[in-house]
């Protein structure tokens, strides 16, 4: 029986080139390198890794305050690859593709200038270019915990800003006014003044509330709502949450019994109207009656305005 011969060992120069190329790739990805971990990974002495970093990669790698190695400032001609993942998380697109790995994202960006197999249709969003200065001032105020004064819908406001939140194409400022948490559309903020001499202490309760909230309706109490969704529309509610804190149970007829926690009726009613007649409010009954009364009023107004002649 013939035994397969083991692969020939790599020449010393080839091992060195392979090791240095991997170290450089990691540095350009933004990784911080620990020499002891590298030594174990490549099966060499720590002094060999030190020689790689100190001599062979001189001008490319530098030691930071913690004693680890990173890319020198002068060598940072490109954005580290792992920043793409950070940006996707910041922009809320980290779940956009079925494969969320960095290698997949880089592969999508490196395709030649030919028709791409993927096309993402952007959601409609407001244009804040005319409010860039206001937005940047609010960023600084949020980070430095400076209080702000501005005019909003004709009324003077004095607030403590907590966070800028992007929701359904609109930027909002989450801030407290006289201790109450509110949201303000950035596009409607006028005459902004940031008090750089002030520094407020954020209330943990408000911070936790904002961090766990999946919308910009800020109220202390919510109403639990029960909806019946027909089988024709069940798929659209099951594939992704359309309502805050949404949960659903599928019944034998294919319909869904959906529960959600709503801050204000106007947070729910437009969605129900959009899905009529496939969605019905089961509880609270008062909200169902409000919906029906609004529809009847609209039908009455449309009937009164109906005319065979067009002006």
């Amino acid at each position: 029986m013939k035994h397969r011969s083991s692969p020939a060992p790599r020449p010393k120069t080839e091992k060195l080139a392979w090791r240095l190329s991997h170290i450089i790739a990691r540095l350009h990805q933004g990784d911080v390198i620990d020499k002891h971990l590298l030594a174990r990974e490549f099966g060499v002495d720590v002094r060999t890794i030190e020689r790689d970093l100190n001599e062979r990669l001189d001008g490319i790698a530098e030691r930071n305050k913690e004693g680890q190695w990173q890319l020198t400032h002068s060598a940072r001609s490109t954005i580290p690859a792992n920043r793409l993942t950070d940006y996707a998380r910041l922009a809320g697109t980290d779940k956009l593709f079925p494969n969320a790995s960095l290698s997949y994202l880089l592969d999508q960006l490196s395709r030649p200038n030919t028709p791409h197999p993927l096309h993402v249709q952007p959601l409609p969003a407001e244009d804040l270019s005319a409010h860039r200065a206001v937005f940047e001032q609010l960023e600084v105020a949020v980070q430095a915990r400076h209080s702000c004064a501005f005019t909003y819908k004709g009324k003077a406001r004095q607030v403590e800003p907590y966070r800028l939140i992007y929701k359904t194409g609109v930027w909002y400022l989450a801030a407290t006014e006289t201790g109450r948490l509110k949201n303000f559309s950035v596009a409607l903020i006028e005459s902004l003044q940031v008090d750089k001499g002030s520094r407020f202490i954020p209330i943990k309760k408000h911070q936790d509330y904002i961090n766990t909230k999946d919308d910009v309706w800020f109220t202390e109490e919510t109403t639990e709502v029960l909806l019946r969704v027909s089988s024709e529309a069940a798929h659209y509610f099951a594939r992704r949450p359309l309502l805050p804190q949404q949960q659903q149970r599928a019944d034998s007829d294919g319909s869904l019994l959906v529960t959600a926690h709503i801050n204000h009726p106007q947070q729910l009613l437009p969605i129900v109207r959009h899905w009529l007649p496939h969605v019905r409010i089961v509880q609270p009954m008062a909200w169902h009656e409000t919906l029906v009364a609004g529809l009847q009023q609209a039908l009455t107004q449309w009937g009164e305005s109906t005319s065979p002649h067009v002006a």
Side-chain angles (χ1 to χ4, degrees):
M1 180 177 179
K2 185 183 292 185
H3 294 280
R4 181 183 298 176
S5 59
S6 58
R10 291 182 177 179
K12 185 176 180 180
T13 54
E14 185 178 337
K15 286 183 178 180
L16 173 62
W18 179 78
R19 187 173 68 245
L20 291 179
S21 66
H22 277 69
I23 294 174
I24 292 173
R26 292 188 184 182
L27 290 169
H28 276 281
Q29 287 178 2
D31 290 353
V32 176
I33 291 176
D34 184 293
K35 62 183 181 182
H36 299 283
L37 293 178
L38 280 183
R40 287 198 295 269
E41 180 178 343
F42 292 113
V44 297
D45 192 88
V46 174
R47 287 175 294 180
T48 300
I49 298 297
E50 288 178 340
R51 193 178 307 116
D52 289 342
L53 296 168
N54 277 314
E55 300 175 11
R56 299 180 177 117
L57 297 179
D58 181 37
I60 298 177
E62 64 181 4
R63 194 190 302 266
N64 61 20
K65 295 179 180 179
E66 289 74 30
Q68 295 178 318
W69 293 82
Q70 62 188 20
L71 196 67
T72 61
H73 184 76
S74 59
R76 298 172 193 172
S77 58
T78 58
I79 299 175
N82 61 2
R83 292 294 181 88
L84 293 173
T85 302
D86 296 338
Y87 177 78
R89 190 178 300 111
L90 175 65
T93 60
D94 52 327
K95 304 295 184 184
L96 180 62
F97 301 109
N99 186 344
S101 67
L102 180 61
S103 59
Y104 178 81
L105 178 59
L106 290 173
D107 179 62
Q108 298 305 315
L109 297 176
S110 62
R111 291 177 182 268
N113 295 325
T114 56
H116 201 287
L118 306 180
H119 173 63
V120 179
Q121 295 184 347
L123 295 173
E126 65 178 345
D127 183 2
L128 273 188
S129 57
H131 305 274
R132 177 178 173 179
V134 169
F135 191 89
E136 292 175 351
Q137 289 180 69
L138 289 173
E139 279 189 279
V140 173
V142 169
Q143 190 167 16
R145 301 303 185 192
H146 295 322
S147 61
C148 299
F150 52 79
T151 301
Y152 191 78
K153 297 182 179 180
K155 183 179 178 180
R157 307 279 189 165
Q158 186 77 34
V159 306
E160 294 178 340
Y162 276 69
R163 178 163 290 181
L164 288 162
I165 301 173
Y166 185 76
K167 181 70 175 179
T168 59
V170 178
W171 277 102
Y172 296 92
L173 172 68
T176 56
E177 185 180 34
T178 62
R180 183 181 176 186
L181 192 59
K182 299 180 179 180
N183 73 71
F184 303 90
S185 171
V186 173
L188 299 180
I189 292 176
E190 299 177 332
S191 305
L192 173 65
Q193 297 292 328
V194 178
D195 184 1
K196 295 183 179 180
S198 67
R199 184 174 178 82
F200 70 91
I201 300 176
I203 299 173
K204 186 177 184 302
K205 178 181 71 173
H206 292 329
Q207 285 184 310
D208 293 342
Y209 181 82
I210 293 171
N211 291 339
T212 57
K213 215 41 176 143
D214 54 3
D215 55 64
V216 291
W217 292 79
F218 298 149
T219 57
E220 295 182 359
E221 297 182 357
T222 61
T223 300
E224 185 174 84
V225 172
L226 186 64
L227 305 175
R228 172 63 68 183
V229 180
S230 71
S231 58
E232 290 84 353
H235 165 72
Y236 300 100
F237 279 76
R239 67 180 179 181
R240 64 183 177 92
L242 297 180
L243 296 166
Q245 301 178 48
Q246 176 181 317
Q247 294 184 345
Q248 62 268 345
R249 185 198 73 198
D251 287 339
S252 58
D253 61 355
S255 67
L256 292 180
L257 197 61
V258 175
T259 60
H261 291 265
I262 305 298
N263 296 88
H264 191 277
Q266 288 306 316
Q267 188 181 11
L268 172 71
L269 296 182
I271 296 176
V272 175
R273 284 195 291 264
H274 175 81
W275 287 101
L276 288 177
H278 301 294
V279 177
R280 179 170 59 88
I281 301 175
V282 179
Q283 292 178 359
M285 182 54 64
W287 288 18
H288 169 75
E289 293 170 353
T290 298
L291 172 67
V292 173
L295 294 173
Q296 290 175 339
Q297 183 180 10
L299 290 172
T300 300
Q301 291 177 346
W302 294 336
E304 292 175 351
S305 62
T306 302
S307 172
H309 304 287
V310 179

